[in-house]
């Protein structure tokens, strides 16, 4: 995926006027978008607009007023820095444009799906949807059109915003039954010193829906996990309290922006603290080491274990015993906060990272439906090997017995139980799936995570894995084995299939497929299988291990015992 800053176009010469106009609410023209319909070539003119008093915007306004030069976003693809002032102004302009496009005063929870690369444009887009009163549906930049279309059709958006760098897939996306209007978003490539910030008006209730993240479950297709403004503010504030983000923080952000890890822990919590988010379109270990070797130029880093595995490998292969070694070690060692999560952190990676940088990775546990639930301490003495720590501020966590649902008393330790969570951090609903939502809560209102953990005498939690074998974690992404099986069964060659997760040092788990091939079809090979599935699903979901078998064993009930399958075909990994 590339995100190329387009050359300055006609409307951008207007931009110095925009900031002043935003403050004065002057009708000014901006030719940001074109719709796909007969307006395609018309210039849509719209003035900037005031912003709702959401905590995130008020905090940004505070910093924008205090210091006009305070940087909010460094966009590494564009190699440009954008101030809080400019951010608020650009958001205000885009908000008005969205409302004009849909001919409403307030989106009132209408969904806006957007496909925008990680960078300044993403933030402007996300904030503008919120400012307009809509629900953000961030689309995954690595999904093939079929998966994007599923998300678009399921979330039923009124508007789809397509960044110019994704124009090549526009024909595939337009070839669908969605009634949504598609508009194009040209990259913002000008840096301005704005003289003012937009006006504010009272915000809508914080119970308004704000964000929809598509997440895999054990059955069927991914579901839209809906959170409100209250939820996301709470999730971010809880982390800010625990990890002490401040306006002096500078986060190097390398994670995708269609999941909580990248959106809340990375982007929102940092901006809600007045810090700087340095956005990279993609993780590259060389770039991160280069940045770290410049001491004091960043303070925080957050990632999944696979990223740390890559960083350690890169250091060993390219930095150890070179002139760059000392600066890399000490630069990384000087970071204030380095966090790992989204999947289990293997001890060898944690140990190697500590040896190289002197940093003990801070581990925490979260889930799309709850944001973050548990975390080790900011104080290094509160980081315990193999543990994800204690409940975060305002989050209630309990363990229950798997068979009976009985709560395990906190005085009882070293007993496996199901993690259940309660608090303002918990999501509202799965979009348009009331039954699925109800099924995930206990009668007394606790969310059932499906993860198994135990506690020690100090109350620290240790994740033991998931109750379901049908959920695989690979590279920090949650993948439904059933979804992959369903898509594989659509291939002529596949008569039967069982998809399992097998342990892997780099990816945590790899997606492996055990396949009984249909007679008379061309012999499947991993390469050809992957090529066939590329149009069906994201690369991280496609099996990277293939085992062809005579038959996929089933029990008397006709069910596949996946634990037995892993034991049989990969005994060395059990
Ligand atoms: C990609 N490839 C894989 C996988 N992913 N192979 C095996 N297993 C995988 N999982 C292959 C591709 O097919 C491709 O191969 C090659 O690797 C490069 O693909 P690319 O997409 O470029 O991958 P990458 O850049 O190497 O990405 C690795 C990554 C990425 C940076 C670790 O997976 C990532 O950003 N993960 C983070 C996910 C995340 O944010 N999760 C949070 C959700 P070929 O070249 O042959 O085609 S969990 C969450 O939000 C909760 C709340 C929480 O607790 O945090
Ligand atoms: P997702 O639904 O994609 O947000 O993934 C959430 C799942 O990731 C959780 O239910 C856990 O199974 C797993 N997970 C998140 N953080 C950790 C962690 N620190 N250690 C082990 N598993 C984790």
């Amino acid at each position: 995926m590339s995100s190329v800053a387009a050359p300055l176009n006609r409307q951008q010469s207007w931009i110095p006027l925009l900031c002043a106009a935003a403050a004065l609410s002057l009708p000014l023209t901006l030719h940001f978008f074109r719709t796909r319909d007969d307006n395609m070539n018309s210039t849509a003119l719209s003035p900037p607009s005031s912003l709702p008093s959401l905590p995130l915007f008020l905090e940004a306004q505070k910093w924008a007023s205090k210091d006009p030069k305070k940087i909010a976003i460094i966009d590494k693809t564009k190699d440009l820095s954008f101030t809080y002032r400019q951010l608020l102004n650009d958001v205000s302009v885009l908000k008005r444009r969205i409302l004009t496009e849909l001919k409403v005063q307030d989106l009132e929870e209408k969904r806006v799906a957007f496909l925008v690369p990680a960078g300044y444009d993403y933030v402007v887009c996300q904030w503008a949807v919120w400012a307009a009163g809509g629900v953000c549906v961030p689309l995954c930049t690595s999904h093939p059109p079929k998966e994007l279309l599923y998300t678009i059709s399921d979330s039923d958006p009124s508007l789809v915003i397509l960044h110019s760098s994704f124009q090549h897939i526009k024909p595939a996306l337009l070839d669908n039954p969605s009634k949504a209007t598609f508009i194009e978003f040209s990259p913002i490539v000008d840096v301005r010193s704005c003289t003012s910030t937009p006006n504010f008006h009272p915000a809508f209730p914080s119970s308004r829906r704000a964000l929809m993240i598509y997440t895999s479950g054990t059955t069927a297709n991914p579901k839209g996990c809906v959170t409100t403004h209250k939820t996301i503010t709470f999730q971010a504030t809880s982390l800010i309290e625990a990890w002490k983000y401040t306006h002096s923080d500078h986060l190097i952000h390398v994670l995708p922006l269609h999941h909580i890890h990248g959106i809340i822990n990375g982007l929102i919590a940092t901006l809600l603290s007045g810090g700087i988010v340095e956005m990279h379109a993609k993780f590259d270990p060389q770039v991160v080491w280069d940045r770290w070797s410049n001491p004091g130029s960043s303070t925080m880093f957050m990632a999944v274990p696979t990223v740390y595995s890559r960083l350690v490998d890169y250091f060993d292969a390219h930095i150890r015993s070179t002139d760059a070694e000392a600066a890399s070690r000490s630069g990384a060692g000087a970071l204030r906060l380095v966090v790992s999560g989204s999947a289990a952190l293997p001890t060898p990676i944690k140990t190697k990272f500590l040896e190289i940088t002197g940093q003990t990775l801070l581990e925490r546990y979260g889930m799309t439906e709850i944001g973050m639930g548990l975390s080790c301490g900011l104080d290094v003495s509160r980081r315990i090997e193999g543990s994800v720590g204690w409940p975060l501020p305002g989050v209630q966590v309990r363990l229950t017995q798997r068979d009976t649902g009985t709560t395990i008393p906190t005085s009882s330790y070293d007993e496996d139980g199901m993690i259940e969570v309660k608090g303002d951090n918990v999501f509202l609903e799965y979009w348009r799936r009331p039954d699925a939502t109800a099924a995930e809560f206990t009668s007394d209102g606790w969310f059932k995570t499906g993860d198994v953990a135990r506690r020690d005498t100090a109350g620290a939690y240790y994740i033991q894995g998931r109750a379901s074998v049908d959920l695989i974690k690979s590279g920090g992404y949650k993948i439904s084995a059933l979804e992959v099986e369903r898509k594989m069964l659509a291939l002529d060659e596949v008569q039967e299939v069982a998809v399992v997760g097998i342990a892997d040092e780099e990816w945590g788990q790899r997606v492996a497929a055990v396949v009984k091939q249909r007679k008379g079809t061309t012999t499947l090979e991993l390469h050809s299988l992957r090529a066939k599935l590329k149009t069906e699903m994201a690369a991280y979901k496609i099996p990277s291990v293939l085992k062809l078998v005579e038959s996929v064993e089933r029990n008397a009930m006709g069910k596949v015992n996946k634990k037995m399958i892993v034991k049989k075909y990969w005994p060395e990994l059990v």
Side-chain angles (χ1 to χ4, degrees):
M1 178 197 67
S2 71
S3 158
V4 190
L8 274 176
N9 52 24
R10 189 163 58 84
Q11 81 263 17
Q12 278 143 358
S13 60
W14 286 84
I15 280 167
L17 288 172
L18 276 171
C19 303
L24 298 171
S25 292
L26 290 177
L28 238 192
T29 61
L30 186 65
H31 173 182
F32 248 127
F33 309 98
R34 287 170 302 184
T35 62
R36 67 164 162 170
D37 53 33
D38 31 70
N39 278 336
M40 194 74 188
N41 296 316
S42 73
T43 307
L45 309 179
S46 58
S49 180
S50 70
L51 301 178
S53 303
L54 294 171
L56 187 59
F57 298 166
L58 290 175
E59 186 66 19
Q61 161 78 353
K62 186 178 96 187
W63 292 107
S65 307
K66 250 190 194 167
D67 176 4
K69 294 196 175 131
K70 179 94 175 89
I71 299 294
I73 305 290
I74 299 173
D75 184 318
K76 291 305 273 189
T77 308
K78 296 174 178 174
D79 203 14
L80 294 175
S81 301
F82 298 89
T83 61
Y84 275 97
R85 265 199 187 192
Q86 178 169 352
L87 174 59
L88 289 171
N89 281 293
D90 285 338
V91 167
S92 150
V93 174
L94 180 50
K95 172 208 162 181
R96 170 54 58 94
R97 192 66 193 87
I98 291 171
L99 293 176
T100 306
E101 193 67 50
L102 293 177
K103 301 185 180 62
V104 292
Q105 297 293 314
D106 179 347
L107 288 182
E108 291 178 327
E109 299 193 340
K110 287 187 173 55
R111 276 78 51 217
V112 178
F114 53 89
L115 188 57
V116 181
Y120 181 65
D121 300 338
Y122 177 100
V123 185
V124 172
C125 194
Q126 180 191 62
W127 286 28
V129 174
W130 285 338
V135 180
C136 288
V137 185
L139 297 170
C140 172
T141 54
S142 64
H143 275 181
K146 266 197 185 166
E147 283 202 278
L148 294 172
L149 280 173
Y150 168 77
T151 310
I152 291 171
S153 125
D154 191 77
S155 59
D156 187 18
S158 300
L159 193 67
V160 179
I161 300 178
L162 201 55
H163 194 262
S164 305
S165 53
F166 291 103
Q167 280 308 297
H168 57 286
I169 58 167
K170 188 171 166 186
L173 294 185
L174 287 181
D175 185 20
N176 79 91
S178 164
K179 289 194 191 69
T181 300
F182 279 67
I183 58 176
E184 181 182 341
F185 186 178
S186 306
I188 299 173
V189 289
D190 64 309
V191 170
R192 321 187 293 281
S193 48
C194 300
T195 52
S196 60
T197 54
N199 293 328
F200 276 75
H201 61 261
F204 36 74
S206 62
S207 56
R208 185 174 274 204
R209 290 171 178 81
L211 184 61
M212 207 187 283
I213 303 285
Y214 273 77
T215 183
S216 291
T218 47
T219 51
N221 288 316
K223 303 187 280 289
C225 173
V226 180
T227 45
T228 65
H229 284 278
K230 184 174 177 184
T231 328
I232 59 181
T233 305
F234 183 92
Q235 289 178 350
T237 310
S238 170
L239 285 182
I240 292 168
E241 186 181 335
W243 298 346
K244 309 268 179 278
Y245 297 61
T246 75
H247 66 274
S248 306
D249 273 317
H250 179 132
L251 174 75
I252 295 184
H253 194 305
V254 297
L255 291 175
L257 285 164
H258 64 292
H259 278 301
I260 294 293
H261 197 161
I263 297 173
I264 303 290
N265 304 20
L267 194 60
I268 302 300
T270 308
L271 295 176
L272 191 56
S273 310
I276 296 173
V277 184
E278 176 182 316
M279 303 179 77
H280 296 251
K282 210 169 172 353
F283 166 64
D284 178 340
Q286 181 181 1
V287 171
V288 172
W289 278 115
D290 273 358
R291 289 289 295 110
W292 284 349
S293 65
N294 181 0
S297 68
S298 69
T299 63
M300 301 196 292
F301 189 75
M302 295 171 196
V304 301
T306 304
V307 163
Y308 291 107
S309 163
R310 298 253 179 106
L311 284 165
V312 163
D313 287 350
Y314 187 90
F315 181 90
D316 285 341
H318 302 283
I319 301 178
R320 200 182 280 279
S321 309
T322 69
D323 292 347
E325 178 172 356
S328 299
R329 283 181 189 269
S330 65
L335 295 169
R336 181 184 81 73
L337 180 66
V338 191
V339 183
S340 172
S342 301
L345 176 66
T347 300
I349 296 174
K350 189 174 184 180
T351 309
K352 281 183 200 161
F353 195 77
L354 174 65
E355 179 274 314
I356 295 167
T357 65
Q359 293 273 1
T360 305
L361 289 169
L362 192 162
E363 288 181 75
R364 76 351 172 239
Y365 159 87
M367 192 174 179
T368 304
E369 288 84 341
I370 65 162
M372 296 303 110
L374 299 160
S375 173
C376 283
L378 194 54
D379 192 313
V380 177
S381 66
R382 301 268 290 171
R383 300 184 197 175
I384 302 170
E385 182 51 42
S387 169
V388 289
W390 296 266
L392 278 156
V395 179
Q396 290 173 264
V397 181
R398 73 180 184 187
L399 293 181
T400 59
Q401 280 168 352
R402 189 169 179 177
D403 299 331
T404 62
T406 310
T407 305
I408 299 173
T410 45
S411 55
S412 169
Y413 55 91
D414 283 347
E415 179 180 350
D416 282 2
M418 305 299 299
I419 303 179
E420 294 183 355
V421 178
K422 204 180 208 178
D424 287 342
N425 57 309
V426 177
F427 77 123
L428 179 70
E429 61 186 358
Y430 293 118
W431 179 241
R432 292 182 179 164
R433 286 176 172 89
D435 293 347
T437 308
E440 299 304 323
F441 285 87
T442 63
S443 55
D444 55 347
W446 291 73
F447 172 69
K448 300 186 274 185
T449 63
D451 287 307
V452 180
R454 63 177 64 158
R455 266 185 313 250
D456 67 11
T457 47
Y461 285 74
Y462 296 72
I463 308 292
Q464 303 299 307
R466 287 200 68 89
S468 169
V469 286
D470 285 324
L471 283 175
I472 299 168
K473 263 274 161 163
S474 188
Y477 282 114
K478 187 159 74 180
I479 297 157
S480 161
L482 304 185
E483 185 191 343
V484 179
E485 285 168 4
R486 193 167 48 75
K487 288 181 173 161
M488 287 185 69
L489 284 169
L491 301 177
D492 270 355
E493 295 86 346
V494 178
Q495 184 168 343
E496 287 183 57
V497 58
V499 167
V500 293
I502 57 172
D504 182 79
E505 207 172 302
E506 180 185 7
W507 297 102
Q509 283 184 301
R510 265 180 192 275
V511 180
V514 176
V515 173
K516 177 184 177 187
Q517 183 157 355
R518 198 180 305 283
K519 284 209 171 73
T521 55
T522 325
T523 305
L524 267 185
E525 281 165 12
L526 183 62
H527 181 71
S528 58
L529 175 72
R530 286 180 62 80
K532 282 174 198 285
L533 291 172
K534 249 182 183 145
T535 54
E536 302 301 313
M537 56 183 123
Y540 60 83
K541 295 184 185 175
I542 302 176
S544 57
V545 178
L546 172 67
K547 198 73 116 187
L548 292 179
V549 296
E550 286 300 314
S551 72
V552 178
E553 295 88 344
R554 293 175 190 274
N555 63 18
M557 314 282 289
K559 282 196 126 192
V560 175
N561 181 335
K562 293 198 172 173
K563 283 193 177 140
M564 292 303 295
I565 285 202
V566 175
K567 230 182 225 169
K568 177 168 177 184
Y569 295 110
W570 295 277
E572 71 284 6
L573 298 178
V574 181

